[in-house]
Structures are given as C-alpha cells and as structure tokens.
Amino acid sequence: MTLNMLWEIVTKIIDIGIVWIAFYFILKNIKNNIKMVLIFKGVILILLVKLLSDVLNLYTVGIILQYCVEWGPLAIIVIFQPEIRSVLESIGRTQLLGRHKILTIDEREKVVYEIMKAIEYFKRNRIGALIVIEREISLQEYIEPATKIYADLSSDLLETVFFPNGPLHDGGIVIQGDRITVAGAVFKTSMNPSISKRLGTRHRAALGIAEESDAIALVVSEENGRISIACDGELNYNLTLDEFRMLLVDAINPKPEVFYEAENKDSAGEE
C-alpha cells in the first residue's frame, strides 16, 4: 500500500466522520424542538408520497410534489427561520468536550438535597425563585452578563440570593456541576401560545430556556408557592415535593446515549 492510498483512506474516514458528527448533533438538537420534529416528519412524508407517485405513475400528484421538493427547502427556511436559528444556536452552544466535571453519585445526591431544602423553604414562605441547571448545552450567553458568584451550592446561599426585595431576587441562578456560577441571570421568555396566561415571567423564562437548550429550570411561584420544573421543552406545573424531587433526580442523572441503548436492545434481541 502506497502513501497516497493510505492518505486517501484517512481523508475518506475523516470525511465520513465529519458528516456523521454533523448529523448526530443536528438530530440530537431537533428531538428537543417540537416544531422541528414536525417539520422533519412532514419532509419525510412528502418524500415517501413522491416515491409512491413515481412508482404508481400518478402524474398530477407527481407534478405537485415535484414543486414541493424543488421549492420546499426555501419555504421551510423562510417560514421556520426562528426554529432553525434556535437549533443552530443550540449546536453552537453544545460543549463538545465538556467544561465541567462529571458529578459522582454522592455529589448528585448533595446537589439534590441542597436544592430540595431551599425549594421547601421557598414553597413554605412563598418566595419566588428561578434556578437553572446547565447540562450539555452551554448557557454562556446568559452567564456573561449576570452577576458572578462561583460558589459551592448550598441551600443557605440559594435562600440568600432569593431573599425578597434583594438585588438578585428577580433574576435566575445558573448552576454548573455542583457550583452556583451566577445569579441575576435574565433568560428569554417562551413565545409558546399554548402556555397559560396566568403564568408569570419566571415560568415563561423557565420554559423558554428549556425550549432552546437541554437545561433544567426549577421555578417557585411568588404568588402561591407552587413549584414547577421545565425540562426538554415542557413545563411540569404545580408539582408536589415528592413529584418535584423525582423529576429533578431523573433529570440530573446522566443519560446513556441513544445509540448505546439501541445497541443494547439489538444485543438483547439476538440473545
């Protein structure tokens, strides 16, 4: 094998690897965006119908679908520009190598304990709070303009930050790993028309950050002390303390990769 042949094989491997990585991150971010999932399903359906029309020689349907295939991408870019931009921003914020340490079981238990202790206090005293836990997608654009803290996570510190009428009370906290990075962070509010008009800015901000990233947003209502969790683009509203704890534990635990799960299922089927 010559050096040129070896170099050609290496470049092909790199080429295919880059394409697969791009597809992986695109699909990984699409699955958290409901509208993009619907677009993806619609495109697949149109392509299947087009293929069927070619097989059955459906002339009129084929012509219409041909126009859809030719002009569809441009229409999608124009109509769904905000959703496409959101996915691209999510890909850009994803930490490929991860800045933060992977928490041990004991560290995760301590994080949950400290957060739950503060949440119980907020709920009992009807103190409004918004706590956002960063996962794989970086929240750097919200961290930079906020007030830096860089302190170990504790219920006492959470209670201090959200003390009523305090300077940082109205903003949100960002947690990275087992440390509070910033306080007073301001997040984009959700524009979802289906969200109840009774929900205030905190709930809309929590749902907004959960829609555009994989972060976990914890909310306590200042009006009635109700507690909620926004995660994976959904708002779980008015939870009990036990429900809140269970959702938090499930969300904070590291998830195995989808491809790894699929391989395990295939192996189980073969056995």
Side-chain angles (χ1 to χ4, degrees), residues 41-53:
K41 289 180 178 179
V43 170
I44 295 297
L45 180 61
I46 289 174
L47 293 176
L48 289 176
V49 175
K50 178 67 171 68
L51 181 62
L52 183 63
S53 69

Side-chain angles (χ1 to χ4, degrees), residues 25-26 29-30 33 36 81-94 212:
F25 280 105
I26 289 172
N29 285 275
I30 282 177
N33 191 307
M36 290 302 295
Q81 183 264 343
E83 286 75 22
I84 295 172
R85 182 181 63 187
S86 176
V87 171
L88 293 176
E89 287 177 349
S90 297
I91 295 173
R93 287 195 298 268
T94 299
E212 71 170 33

